[in-house]
Amino acid sequence: MRAGFLLNEVVTGLRRNVTMTIAMILTTAVSLTMLGGGLLALRIADKTQNYFMDRVEIRLYLTDLVSANDRDCSLNPCQQLMSDLKKTDGVVSVQFVNSDEAMKEATEVTFKDQPEMLDLIKDTRLPASLRVKMTDADQYPRIYESFNGKDGIQSVLNDKDTVDRLVGVFDGLRNAAFGLAALQALAALLLIANMVQIAAFSRREEVGIMRMVGATRWYTQLPFLLEAVVAALAGSILAVLGLFLAQPLVVNRGLGALFNSNVFPRLTGEDIALVSLTIAPLGIVFAAITAYGTLRYYVRD
């Protein structure tokens, strides 16, 4: 009997304030979608960093003179540089790549699907390089400081800097999404508070009669709280559906080529499911706490 009464009161309340209910559902959906987008950007950043860290290396490009005259790093200064690198703490391996090998890698791997880049480098003599892997990517700055500017070194490139820039792009997207989500959350909070106040005001006579016949304050306020929770639940479902639809329609279309070429690790349905399991309960709990706080603060009957 009580459950039926509560259900009837919730349905009645949602119908009476249908426009505000729809506004709250949509605002909650947008807010949670933006929050989910921020969390997905964070997951891509983490996956990108983990994906590339095992492949990160520092490259010491040799001067044109060394590149042209030393084909196997058997002469100084290349031989001395390789010896010094191998003696450096934390160095796992040092690989010498001559000019011909560098050109082969560029044409068959790096720029395989970029004909315009191949045209630019086809008449260029690429420099030989020493490629160093270490036990910890954070140690690479030490290599840069020790070897940059040494005899035979033309320039030093740290792959970790490139990875950090890639991760930084997603960090920026995440921050933007979180900022928009915060604004939408504020709008949702105000809508929930207004909806609860209006619902309670429109049924103040019913609530007064129920209190006179012995109903507890909690029992009379529970329908208003459930109205907010139901609206938030609907908004959460829309947000989750939006994230799953965004994967093929937005993410895969925008980043599909980068996923296919292994520039970024692919965003999977499992990633979206994990994010959904975070944002859906969060939206419902947020609505419940907001409605409860509003009732306690504004509704005294």
Side-chain angles (χ1 to χ4, degrees), residues 24 27-28 31 183-194 286 290:
M24 178 187 163
T27 304
T28 301
S31 177
L183 291 176
Q184 291 291 336
L186 177 60
L189 184 149
L190 295 175
L191 276 173
I192 294 170
N194 286 335
F286 175 81
T290 302

Side-chain angles (χ1 to χ4, degrees), residues 3-248:
F5 170 78
L6 287 175
L7 179 61
N8 182 67
E9 286 294 298
V10 171
V11 173
T12 300
L14 293 174
R15 285 178 177 175
R16 284 180 179 175
N17 305 298
V18 63
T19 54
M20 186 167 289
T21 299
I22 293 174
M24 178 187 163
I25 291 173
L26 294 178
T27 304
T28 301
V30 172
S31 177
L32 292 178
T33 300
M34 297 305 303
L35 177 60
L39 292 176
L40 287 177
L42 183 61
R43 286 190 65 82
I44 292 179
D46 289 341
K47 291 176 71 173
T48 298
Q49 192 168 30
N50 294 333
Y51 179 78
F52 281 106
M53 276 308 170
D54 290 337
R55 298 167 174 79
V56 163
E57 59 187 12
I58 191 169
R59 304 185 184 193
L60 289 75
Y61 290 102
L62 306 179
T63 61
D64 293 338
L65 182 63
V66 175
S67 300
N69 298 324
D70 194 348
R71 311 298 297 170
D72 55 4
C73 200
S74 58
L75 304 174
N76 285 330
C78 183
Q79 186 181 54
Q80 186 61 49
L81 288 170
M82 179 175 281
S83 176
D84 292 343
L85 284 167
K86 289 181 177 180
K87 293 177 183 178
T88 303
D89 292 338
V91 171
V92 176
S93 65
V94 182
Q95 178 190 7
F96 173 72
V97 179
N98 62 37
S99 295
D100 293 338
E101 292 169 337
M103 177 60 75
K104 182 178 180 181
E105 180 184 50
T107 55
E108 297 181 2
V109 180
T110 308
F111 302 124
K112 179 182 178 181
D113 300 319
Q114 302 179 46
E116 66 282 356
M117 292 299 299
L118 293 177
D119 289 338
L120 289 175
I121 67 170
K122 64 180 181 180
D123 297 324
T124 304
R125 185 178 187 85
L126 299 181
S129 62
L130 293 169
R131 301 182 179 182
V132 184
K133 288 189 70 68
M134 302 189 71
T135 54
D136 185 354
D138 291 331
Q139 296 178 350
Y140 286 111
R142 181 159 53 87
I143 294 290
Y144 179 87
E145 294 171 1
S146 300
F147 287 87
N148 187 41
K150 276 196 171 185
D151 184 34
I153 300 292
Q154 176 176 281
S155 62
V156 180
L157 175 65
N158 186 356
D159 286 349
K160 184 175 183 296
D161 293 337
T162 303
V163 175
D164 289 342
R165 284 194 291 270
L166 290 174
V167 172
V169 171
F170 290 104
D171 285 343
L173 292 175
R174 175 203 62 193
N175 293 338
F178 283 170
L180 290 174
L183 291 176
Q184 291 291 336
L186 177 60
L189 184 149
L190 295 175
L191 276 173
I192 294 170
N194 286 335
M195 188 182 80
V196 170
Q197 288 184 67
I198 292 173
F201 182 80
S202 64
R203 283 179 276 174
R204 62 189 183 282
E205 292 183 1
E206 300 172 26
V207 171
I209 294 172
M210 292 175 63
R211 292 299 302 274
M212 290 177 62
V213 297
T216 64
R217 179 178 176 181
W218 170 251
Y219 187 73
T220 58
Q221 293 183 351
L222 185 58
F224 308 125
L225 190 149
L226 291 177
E227 289 174 24
V229 169
V230 169
L233 176 61
S236 299
I237 293 173
L238 287 178
V240 171
L241 291 176
L243 290 178
F244 275 102
L245 288 174
Q247 182 187 15

